[in-house]
Structures are given as structure tokens and as C-alpha cells.
Amino acid sequence: MGEVYRARDTRLARNVAVKVLPEDFLEGEEGRARFEREAKALAALNHPNIAAVFSFEEIPGPSSSSSRHVLVMELLEGETLRDRLDSRPVRQKQAVDFALQIARGLSAAHEKGIVHRDLKPENVFVSRDGQIKILDFGLAKMVESLAPGDETSAPTASRHTEPGTVLGTPGYMSPEQVRGLSVDHRSDIFSFGAILYELLSGKRAFARPTPADTISAILKEDPPELSESGRKISPALDRIVRHCLEKDRENRFQSARDVAFNLSELPSPAVTSGLRLAASPAGNRRVLITAAALVGIAVLGLVGVVVLRRTPAGRTETGGSKRVAVLPFENLGSPEDDYFADGMADEVRAKLTTLPSLQVIARASSTPYRKTAKTPKQIAGELNTSYLLTATVRWEKAGGRSRVHVTPELVDVTRPDAPTSKWQQPFDAALTDMFQVQSDIASRVAGALGVALGAGEERRLSETPTRNLDAYDAFLKGEEVWRQLAVGDPSGVRRALGFYEQAVALDPGFAQAWARISWATSTLYLNSTPTPAVAERARAAAEKAVTLGPTMPEAYLALGNYQRLVLKNYERAIEEYNRGHRVAAATADLLIATALAEESLGQWESAVERFRQANRLDPRSVRTHLRLSEALLYLHRYPEAREASDKGLTVAPVNLPLIGIKAVTFLGEGNLEAARRTILSAAEKVEPTALVAKVANDSDLVWVLDQEQRALLLRLTPGAFDENRATWGVCLLQAAALEGDTEGVRKYAEIAANALEEQLRAAPEDAGRHVLRGLALAYMGRKEEAIREGERGAGLLPVTKDAAVGTYIQHQLARIYIVAGEPDKALDRLEPLLKIPYVLTPGWLKIDPNFDPLRKNPRFQKLVATAK
């Protein structure tokens, strides 16, 4: 199609390839205009497996009155796939890797309506680092549209196409192309099948003595069995090849995305790319699934099993997906701009997370490496990742200017000798172009990692969260607060919520901010005083986020959290979380939320596996370790639960919830002294008031506090409990009861009962508040009313409806019966609790003073007799 020159683009300081088209190639204005339109379409194809077209230019010709037309293209160094095939055999693993890259490039082009029409090894380039580039994409269509005659013109038999003819190369043309029929993207799939056959066997699929014989074979014959090549070809690969080479295009794979999916489905070590569900054109989904694959899919769906492999550096990756960590971007400007640099990193991380073939380490695990002295190798080892994305950011605001200077670098830590820079590029842009810079960074990183970008993925990477910079600034400040707080801290949640509210006030179309408002409000409903207004705000904000950002996983996370935290509708919550999983790759937040809903449905083993998956994405996160240890605690797997707690405590040594979980593992074993030592170990590092308030409010562990700590608890005010007089009263009445302070018990029980009654006016269906009010009433001696309240709470949330919280409700109802003098009813509730996942065990019953009134009961004695 012309002569190609190596050239230098002096304007952008880069080397390029310039393809000079023949002088008679574009005769007439109409031909030039049509070719230019096609060239612009090609230039829009930004994909790592397609040779990029930068521009279509007209330059002076040999004479003063003539001109030449050139395509300015990406400069490639390496060899064509034809050269590779002719020089040496291609190993099966390498063949599948090449084929997968070709399929991804085809998929990206087909989604934009561009068909190659002359796909063959000569038009596939292998760069020196093994990356595939499809050449001359779309030029066949351009030439064909400009050629004289019609589609019935005979195809050329030459391996090198001639200008001005209908393009196609015998041996790689589809049957419909040979017949002169109209062709679509499925023609490329047939050509792809012929290439894959040759990659695997080393022989051409339809090689015959003459072009006519070759064309006849394409129309009437199947290629020889791959097994005849003497190479050991997997049956799954053979089926993929055969499916691509179906004579009737209706029977072939209906999209290149389906081809890529099936190649990805191949078992290790044949392929190095991760599993990925591919969406075909509507109404035409054909996926080749073997019986073994069906079994594998069923297992994946039930327990979330992840196939592991080893990277060159010894790290473990899932399904072949590349793992990358976006470290905190270094702020080179004023310290008060740290939040801005963090926001840049968060946005790039979020964009990369939407790519299914990437595993992106979550923010909570990446953030601790801000200004770290650790080497890239050490960081990569701790995060179990192969690539690190770092950057420096300077926000220049002097002299009325507002520009952002960002210099990102992608570091490859898989090399055995030393980390190397895989990609680096400085960006200098006005603040108003900041979002474009973020998108460009994410796209360039994806390209450097060889990640295929379909049309949907490109769109998501280019999405702008808001066009209002003040709104974005407020949102980033909210994120700064959110990332530093324990999500259960109501005062911190309210601070973050204030910034998010400011963001949507400035830009009502800011979907991310609406999602955060909903999540924060749902959290307040759960951990603070619930009101109908709070619940309605959580619902409205989540639905607003989904409306504004239907492809944004955070929106479905928010809507699922509303269903789970406010409405307690766990099946519906999982439906919303799954919608989030479908629009983007799995994130730690979505995995954790799904697992928590599964716990409530009694699906404990599935929840544990999801927590482990989240932990792989967020290995330095306190929250993932906390949730995993809690689930293992409920399953009575105490050594594993303590191991998870200890891993979390290495990241956050004074995290109170983790300390509490670890203490409770010892209580389950009946070891009160070990539990107290665990709590006391934190006393030197944690502010005593916070420690005592947290332990007292977690699983009713007032009785685990020692004498001095209980005395401190009795001196606390409601302020230590976020001004929640109900929580304060319940904790202090139990401390007073342990001290034998009858007057104190009556006083705090009355305070708690009244506060809970007020809260229940706003949330009458709150089971937890009903049983706690029942407990307070029992301590006040109001037996009938106490039992009625407790039983109402148990009826609102039975274990069959919520296997996580429902067990706690039953536990509290048993305590109400004990205080009210109904031991048999208490034992009726306790006995089933010992047979299902929950914290109570015979060992616990043996040491908990709340069960002292039952000590002489034969049924109780039989229960604790099984304790070790």
C-alpha cells in the first residue's frame, strides 16, 4: 500500500513511521475526502494491540504542482508474525498469548465498526517485548471502497496486496469474502482462526498448490486435524480454532470478544490472561464452554474460587491478571495540597479498577506508603504486586495561574535484578484539564501493561466526575476525612458528609459525591440515632447516584449499602452489589459488602472466601483483616481468626475493633485471662476512655474489663458514646450490676429505656433497639414489659432472616429471660445458638458472669460440661 519511512516528528520530539501512498492511489477530491474520513476513524482506535495512526497529511510532491498523501503512524521495532512463523516454531503458550492479543485488538476495532478484511500474519507485528500490533487496520476497506468495479472483483493471489484491487489473501480469506459477498466482523474471525491454526501447527490451514485450489479448500474443506502436526494441542484450543473456521458465519463465534473470553478460559499454563466474562452483540451470544468449564464456572459461582499462578518474582496473581498498586502521589507543593495529590491518585486508581484484566491494590493498602523509605521491591513484596505506579504532583497557583504538573512512572518490579521503569511521561496542564490528565495516565498505564481497551472501557476511562472544580475540591476534602476515619465513627462520618453535601450543592450532577452521601448516611443510620429522614436521605442519594452514573460501581455499592444497613434486605443488597460487579472489575469495597450480606444470609464459607479475595486486593487494609477475623470468629476457627487479627494489627497496632475481636477469640475458648491480657496490651497505647468505651460497647464485654477499667467506665459521660444516651445507659447499667450497685443499675437502666423508647419512635422496626430496651426494663424489674419488648425484637429479626445480627438478638433475649427469672426460656434460646456460627460457646458460658443465675441448672451444667 505504499512505501514506509522511519521519520522524526520534530514538533512532538518522537520517532514515527510515515507511509507514503502511491501517487495514483487517491485520484480526485472525493477519493481523498473518503480516505481522510476513514483515516480519522482509524486514528480514533487507541488500543495497545493496534498500530496507531497519528494523522493523515498532504505533503509536496516531486513537482511544484503535485502533492503526496501520507499516513503518520506509530513506529514499531521487531518483526512481522510471518517472519516469526517462517524463522522458528512458536510455543503453544506463546501462540495463545499472541492470539489473545490479536483477539483483543479485533474486538476493540469491531466495537467501533471497523473491519480489517485482510488479516494475515504479514499484517500482524510482534514487537521486541512480545506485544502484538495489528497493521493496516481498516485500510482494506478504504482501498476497496476506492477501487474500480464492485465486490465481485477477483481477489488477488499475491501475498502483497496491490493498490486499487479488492483486498484479500488466499489462505486467510473467509468463504463469504471469496464468494464476493458483503463481509462484516465475522470475516475477520475466520481469518483469525486461520492464523491461530498456523500458530499452533506451524502449517497453513488451507495451503494448496495454486490460489484456485486454496480458494476451493476454503469453501469446501476443513483443515487437517491439529494433532497431525505432531504437536500436543489441547482439545479446548482445537475447539476454538474449529469454531472460528466454520464455513457459515452464523455458526462462528459472533464476536472477537467471545474469542478472547474463550482463550482466557483456557486452563493454566496455556494462557496468561485472566478470566473475563465477555458481552456479545445483543441477541447473538455464542460462547464455547466445555463440560469442564461449566463445572469450573459453577464452582466459581458458589465459592468464589480463584486460580493462582506465580509471577517471575515469585508473587501470586489471580487468573493471570496483572496486579498494580497506585501509590500515594508525592505532593511537591504546599503541604495543604496533600489532599489534592491524594485525590489525583485515587481517581487514577478508580479508573484502572474498572478494567477487568487488571487487579488494582485498594487505596487502604496503598496509602500507608506515603513518604515511605521502603524500596520498590519491599513495597511490591508486601502488596504482592508486580507493578507500582508512582507520581509527583505540583499544583501551581502563583500569579493567578492554576496549573497542574504531574509526572507519573510505572515501575516493573518483576525483573530479578532491579526494578525498571516501564513507562514515564510528564504532564503539564491547566487545572481545568486535570480530569483529562487523569484519564490519559490511566490509558497510558493500561497500554504499557498490554491491557485491551474495548469501547466501553475507553469510555469509562475518559469519564469526568464533575466539571465544577470547586465541587471536586470539596469532594477531595471529604475523601481525606473518609479515608482517615473508622467508618463506624459517627462524628468523623458527619465531617466527611459535610464536604460531600457541599460538593453536590456546587454540582448537583456529581454522581460520585451522591454515592458517598448515601454510604455515609446509611452508616449513620446504623451507628447513630436512626430517623426516617436519615433513611430517606440514604435512599434518595443512592438512587440519584445510579441515575447519574449507571456505569459507576460506587453507585450500586451505595444502593446495596442502603438495602443492607437501613432496610436489612440482604438478597436485594447482593443484587445491587452484583450490578456493581458487572459494570467494573471486582473491588475490595464491593467484595466486603457482598460478604457481609452473605453472612446475614448464613452463607459463611462464601463470605470468608470473599473476604480473602478482598484481602488480596487490599492486603494492607485494617478493614479487610477485621472482617475476615470476625467471620472466622463466628465459625469458631480461632487460630485463623487470631492470625487475621494479628496481620491487621501489624498495620494498625492500636485498632480497637481488631483488639476486641482477638480478645473474643480467647473468650470462645473459655480463656478470660488471655482476653484481658489482649485488652490490657492496648491500654498503654490507646487513650483509656476510648478503650473502655469501645470494649464495653462491643458484644457486651463490660464483664471482661478489670476492676479499674469498670470504675473508669462508670465515670464516663454520654459524650464518650457520641452523645447516644441509650448506648451509654446500657453499658453503665451492666457495669453497675457487676459492682452490685442496685441504685446505679436502676438509674442507668431508666436512662437507657427512655432513650431507646425515643429512638424507636423514629425506627419502630429496629430489632436491636427493642431487645436492648427489653434488657433495660428487665433490670428495672418490669418483667412482662421486658419480655414483650425482647420477643418483639426477636420476631422482627430471627436468625432465619439475619444469621449475623439475628444471633445477637437471640443472645440478648436469653439475657432478658435470665434477669427476669425465666431460666428454661433462656436455655431454650441458648442451646440452638451453640450449634450455629456465633460467638457463644460452652467455654464462653463457663466464664461469663451474666450466666451466673443458671450455674445450678442441670441443663446449663450439661451445656458447659462440653467446654475444654
Side-chain angles (χ1 to χ4, degrees):
M1 292 188 180
E3 299 172 321
V4 183
Y5 295 85
R6 180 189 184 100
R8 181 71 174 172
D9 183 340
T10 56
R11 183 175 54 187
L12 296 178
R14 63 181 175 184
N15 292 329
V16 295
V18 174
K19 177 169 286 191
V20 182
L21 302 175
E23 290 186 49
D24 58 352
F25 192 60
L26 298 176
E27 294 183 354
E29 290 297 325
E30 182 181 351
R32 284 193 293 273
R34 190 183 303 119
F35 193 91
E36 187 169 1
R37 285 196 300 271
E38 298 286 359
K40 287 179 178 177
L42 280 180
L45 274 180
N46 179 20
H47 191 275
N49 297 125
I50 298 175
V53 174
F54 296 140
S55 64
F56 174 62
E57 307 284 350
E58 185 173 355
I59 62 175
S63 64
S64 58
S65 61
S66 64
S67 62
R68 301 289 296 274
H69 295 87
V70 302
L71 286 172
V72 182
M73 306 173 68
E74 176 182 9
L75 178 68
L76 303 175
E77 296 185 357
E79 60 184 341
T80 67
L81 185 57
R82 169 57 59 211
D83 293 333
R84 173 67 67 90
L85 286 166
D86 288 349
S87 64
R88 58 196 183 279
V90 178
R91 291 179 293 109
Q92 182 172 320
K93 181 178 178 181
Q94 185 73 76
V96 175
D97 180 57
F98 285 169
L100 186 56
Q101 293 187 61
I102 297 170
R104 287 173 170 168
L106 286 174
S107 176
H110 291 171
E111 287 177 6
K112 289 185 176 293
I114 301 177
V115 181
H116 195 291
R117 302 188 182 205
D118 194 23
L119 190 65
K120 55 188 176 183
E122 290 80 357
N123 280 336
V124 176
F125 198 86
V126 185
S127 67
R128 289 177 178 173
D129 61 359
Q131 186 172 22
I132 290 293
K133 297 280 187 176
I134 304 176
L135 306 175
D136 289 347
F137 217 124
L139 288 182
K141 181 182 177 183
M142 295 182 202
V143 173
E144 194 165 0
S145 67
L146 296 172
D150 56 29
E151 286 194 337
T152 62
S153 301
T156 174
S158 170
R159 279 181 50 187
H160 303 286
T161 56
E162 299 293 332
T165 64
V166 177
L167 293 189
T169 302
Y172 302 96
M173 298 170 68
S174 66
E176 60 269 25
Q177 199 171 6
V178 167
R179 290 191 175 102
L181 303 175
S182 62
V183 299
D184 59 19
H185 61 280
R186 292 171 293 181
S187 179
D188 283 349
I189 292 175
F190 186 93
S191 303
F192 169 87
I195 292 173
L196 180 54
Y197 181 96
E198 190 170 351
L199 279 167
L200 294 170
S201 67
K203 300 176 181 179
R204 302 191 189 196
F206 301 102
R208 299 293 188 273
T210 68
D213 292 336
T214 299
I215 290 172
S216 177
I218 289 172
L219 292 173
K220 301 175 182 178
E221 302 174 25
D222 291 328
E225 294 292 331
L226 281 168
S227 58
E228 295 179 12
S229 67
R231 300 181 185 180
K232 188 176 180 180
I233 309 297
S234 75
L237 261 176
D238 181 81
R239 283 189 288 271
I240 292 174
V241 173
R242 299 291 168 184
H243 201 32
C244 289
L245 292 176
E246 290 281 359
K247 307 296 185 187
D248 185 346
R249 56 186 167 192
E250 294 297 328
N251 295 331
R252 283 177 218 146
F253 285 107
Q254 295 299 292
S255 76
R257 183 176 288 270
D258 275 354
V259 177
F261 168 73
N262 279 274
L263 288 169
S264 298
E265 186 80 358
L266 293 170
S268 181
V271 66
T272 60
S273 296
L275 296 177
R276 173 179 171 187
L277 184 62
S280 301
N284 239 335
R285 182 137 201 253
R286 289 196 165 119
V287 181
L288 181 66
I289 302 179
T290 65
L294 284 171
V295 173
I297 291 171
V299 172
L300 284 168
L302 288 173
V303 296
V305 172
V306 178
V307 182
L308 301 179
R309 70 177 178 89
R310 289 285 170 184
T311 66
R315 282 172 290 281
T316 303
E317 295 186 352
T318 51
S321 299
K322 292 183 173 66
R323 286 170 64 89
V324 60
V326 181
L327 300 185
F329 288 2
E330 182 183 358
N331 173 32
L332 300 181
S334 175
E336 61 262 25
D337 293 338
D338 281 348
Y339 77 95
F340 180 81
D342 288 339
M344 289 282 289
D346 287 346
E347 191 65 29
V348 172
R349 183 184 299 111
K351 289 180 180 297
L352 292 174
T353 301
T354 66
L355 304 179
S357 51
L358 277 187
Q359 288 193 351
V360 184
I361 301 300
R363 179 178 66 184
S365 291
S366 300
T367 299
Y369 294 99
R370 179 185 285 108
K371 299 180 180 178
T372 182
K374 293 182 178 180
T375 66
K377 280 282 189 184
Q378 289 173 316
I379 297 172
E382 291 177 2
L383 294 179
N384 190 25
T385 188
S386 304
Y387 301 94
L388 305 175
L389 178 64
T390 65
T392 59
V393 179
R394 184 186 299 278
W395 187 4
E396 182 183 307
K397 294 175 280 189
R401 299 180 64 197
S402 189
R403 297 189 67 80
V404 180
H405 308 274
V406 187
T407 304
E409 181 180 17
L410 183 64
V411 180
D412 182 349
V413 292
T414 61
R415 301 295 180 89
D417 44 0
T420 59
S421 178
K422 192 170 181 67
W423 169 77
Q424 183 178 22
Q425 180 178 340
F427 293 85
D428 182 356
L431 183 63
T432 52
D433 296 327
M434 173 182 57
F435 300 123
Q436 183 61 50
V437 170
Q438 294 168 350
S439 298
D440 287 346
I441 292 173
S443 296
R444 302 295 173 80
V445 169
L449 293 175
V451 174
L453 298 181
E457 291 154 346
E458 288 181 355
R459 183 180 64 254
R460 283 196 292 272
L461 290 186
S462 64
E463 287 174 348
T464 298
T466 176
R467 297 190 180 279
N468 187 310
L469 295 178
D470 291 333
Y472 189 65
D473 187 68
F475 176 79
L476 292 183
K477 289 175 179 176
E479 292 288 271
E480 183 72 9
V481 176
W482 185 265
R483 73 168 59 93
Q484 293 177 4
L485 57 85
V487 175
D489 169 22
S491 61
V493 172
R494 289 192 187 94
R495 285 200 314 277
L497 185 57
F499 286 115
Y500 299 140
E501 295 279 11
Q502 182 182 349
V504 298
L506 291 166
D507 179 6
F510 196 165
Q512 276 182 287
W514 283 113
R516 278 287 195 256
I517 287 171
S518 178
W519 189 357
T521 310
S522 295
T523 302
L524 284 177
Y525 186 93
L526 180 71
N527 295 322
S528 189
T529 304
T531 67
V534 172
E536 174 58 21
R537 182 59 165 164
R539 181 200 63 78
E543 292 183 354
K544 184 84 169 177
V546 171
T547 300
L548 294 170
T551 61
M552 189 178 71
E554 296 95 326
Y556 301 105
L557 175 63
L559 195 53
N561 286 343
Y562 166 72
Q563 294 289 338
R564 178 172 61 88
L565 302 177
V566 178
L567 300 185
K568 312 297 183 186
N569 188 335
Y570 306 113
E571 292 91 349
R572 178 68 183 277
I574 289 177
E575 289 178 10
E576 299 300 342
Y577 297 144
N578 285 339
R579 290 172 71 188
H581 285 301
R582 286 195 292 270
V583 300
T587 67
D589 285 340
L590 275 170
L591 286 168
I592 290 171
T594 306
L596 290 172
E598 288 176 332
E599 284 183 342
S600 294
L601 293 173
Q603 300 167 9
W604 290 93
E605 294 296 342
S606 178
V608 166
E609 184 54 39
R610 286 194 194 273
F611 287 137
R612 293 196 190 280
Q613 290 179 43
N615 191 259
R616 287 190 280 270
L617 290 174
D618 206 356
R620 302 283 292 176
S621 168
V622 173
R623 184 175 53 139
T624 55
H625 291 300
L626 172 65
R627 294 305 190 184
L628 176 59
S629 62
E630 187 176 45
L632 293 168
L633 165 68
Y634 268 56
L635 291 168
H636 302 171
R637 290 156 61 174
Y638 300 123
E640 291 179 77
R642 281 194 286 272
E643 180 184 10
S645 297
D646 286 339
K647 286 182 178 179
L649 290 169
T650 60
V651 179
V654 294
N655 182 270
L656 295 178
L658 275 171
I659 292 167
I661 291 289
K662 186 175 181 180
V664 174
T665 64
F666 291 114
L667 297 179
E669 295 174 334
N671 191 339
L672 178 58
E673 289 308 311
R676 282 182 170 160
R677 284 197 303 271
T678 301
I679 294 171
L680 286 172
S681 68
E684 299 176 358
K685 306 171 186 176
V686 180
E687 199 278 319
T689 297
L691 176 64
V692 167
K694 187 66 176 176
V695 172
N697 193 34
D698 271 3
S699 300
D700 303 308
L701 297 185
V702 174
W703 60 277
V704 180
L705 297 173
D706 62 20
Q707 190 78 28
E708 183 179 346
Q709 290 170 327
R710 288 204 298 268
L712 173 59
L713 175 61
L714 287 166
R715 297 195 298 271
L716 296 183
T717 66
F721 299 87
D722 191 42
E723 299 297 342
N724 189 327
R725 293 178 68 82
T727 304
W728 173 65
V730 169
C731 289
L732 268 63
L733 80 83
Q734 294 179 81
L738 290 167
E739 298 298 321
D741 180 3
T742 305
E743 181 60 28
V745 170
R746 186 202 61 77
K747 170 187 172 184
Y748 294 121
E750 184 175 359
I751 290 171
N754 291 338
L756 285 161
E757 183 178 16
E758 182 179 350
Q759 293 178 4
L760 283 166
R761 290 194 191 100
E765 303 299 305
D766 191 305
R769 285 177 169 81
H770 278 294
V771 294
L772 289 178
R773 185 168 186 269
L775 185 63
L777 292 170
Y779 275 104
M780 293 170 66
R782 294 160 61 176
K783 176 179 176 178
E784 290 76 11
E785 193 178 352
I787 292 175
R788 187 164 58 249
E789 276 286 83
E791 291 178 345
R792 183 179 180 188
L796 285 168
L797 200 65
V799 174
T800 54
K801 186 176 180 181
D802 189 329
V805 180
T807 47
Y808 171 79
I809 301 296
Q810 294 295 316
H811 180 178
Q812 299 313 307
L813 179 56
R815 291 188 59 198
I816 292 171
Y817 286 136
I818 292 171
V819 176
E822 295 284 353
D824 286 332
K825 289 184 177 180
L827 288 163
D828 288 343
R829 300 289 172 166
L830 288 175
E831 287 174 346
L833 283 180
L834 300 181
K835 300 174 183 178
I836 60 178
Y838 184 53
V839 297
L840 284 187
T841 64
W844 180 303
L845 298 182
K846 190 174 182 179
I847 60 176
D848 186 345
N850 288 302
F851 298 104
D852 284 352
L854 300 178
R855 301 283 170 209
K856 296 180 180 180
N857 187 295
R859 287 176 63 190
F860 184 81
Q861 291 172 351
K862 185 177 180 180
L863 286 180
V864 299
T866 59
K868 295 179 180 179

